[in-house]
């Protein structure tokens, strides 16, 4: 089984809603982020992916390390993901402009989050901590 190393960001708005995105041809909602490219640091990956996927410019000082976690990938067979996840608490409301492989997004709140299929990394690492905010 192969392992992908990824970096992701849990974006929280002023209403404590969590932004999740859904790739084309997938039913799972996941964090903004992606595969760490050769020579790239995890924060560099997050900055690049946020701009590419949702049009959000992030500065390194805005990110707080949440943790790392290894789990099964939802969109690739026979694959594990080892994810490095950061918090980004936005002091303003942001409307994503989706691009690349992203098909749609949702701002999760404590009333709707159970209506969606979450990718394992987001569900196992982020969801419990987000719900306690």
């Amino acid at each position: 089984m192969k392992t992908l190393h990824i970096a992701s960001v849990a974006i929280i708005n002023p209403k404590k809603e969590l932004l999740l995105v859904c790739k084309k041809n997938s039913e799972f909602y996941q964090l903004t982020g992606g595969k760490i490219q050769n020579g790239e640091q995890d924060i560099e990956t997050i900055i690049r992916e946020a701009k590419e996927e949702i049009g959000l410019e992030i500065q390194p000082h805005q990110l707080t390390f949440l943790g790392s976690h290894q789990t099964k990938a939802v969109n690739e067979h026979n694959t594990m993901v080892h994810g490095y996840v950061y918090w980004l608490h936005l002091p303003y409301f942001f409307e994503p402009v989706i691009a690349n492989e992203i098909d749609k997004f949702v701002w999760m709140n404590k009333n709707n989050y159970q209506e969606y299929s979450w990718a394992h990394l987001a569900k196992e690492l982020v969801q419990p901590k987000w719900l306690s905010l």
Side-chain angles (χ1 to χ4, degrees), residues 2-114:
K2 72 177 182 176
T3 300
L4 298 174
H5 292 271
I6 65 171
S8 301
V9 59
I11 300 169
I12 309 293
N13 71 19
K15 290 170 59 177
K16 296 186 179 170
E17 295 171 320
L18 172 67
L19 178 67
L20 293 185
V21 297
C22 188
K23 289 184 175 183
K24 295 173 183 164
N25 302 315
S26 178
E27 66 184 86
F28 295 98
Y29 283 81
Q30 61 191 45
L31 301 167
T32 298
K35 296 174 188 140
I36 298 172
Q37 296 179 352
N38 287 339
E40 206 173 41
Q41 298 295 316
D42 50 3
I43 289 178
E44 293 171 316
T45 301
I46 289 168
I47 291 169
R48 176 180 50 78
E49 292 282 351
K51 186 173 183 179
E52 291 174 1
E53 292 181 351
I54 61 171
L56 180 63
E57 299 270 351
I58 297 174
Q59 299 301 317
H61 72 273
Q62 295 175 288
L63 299 169
T64 304
F65 187 65
L66 174 63
S68 63
H69 185 71
Q70 186 161 312
T71 190
K72 186 176 177 194
V74 294
N75 293 318
E76 298 191 38
H77 295 295
N78 202 30
T79 303
M80 298 291 289
V81 294
H82 186 93
Y84 302 92
V85 181
Y86 288 76
W87 286 119
L88 171 60
H89 291 270
L90 291 176
Y92 55 87
F93 289 98
F94 169 73
E95 186 70 19
V97 177
I98 56 173
N100 288 353
E101 72 272 13
I102 304 302
D103 184 44
K104 53 193 167 191
F105 72 90
V106 65
W107 284 103
M108 298 285 177
N109 61 52
K110 294 178 182 168
N111 295 319
N112 72 0
Y113 77 97
Q114 294 178 318

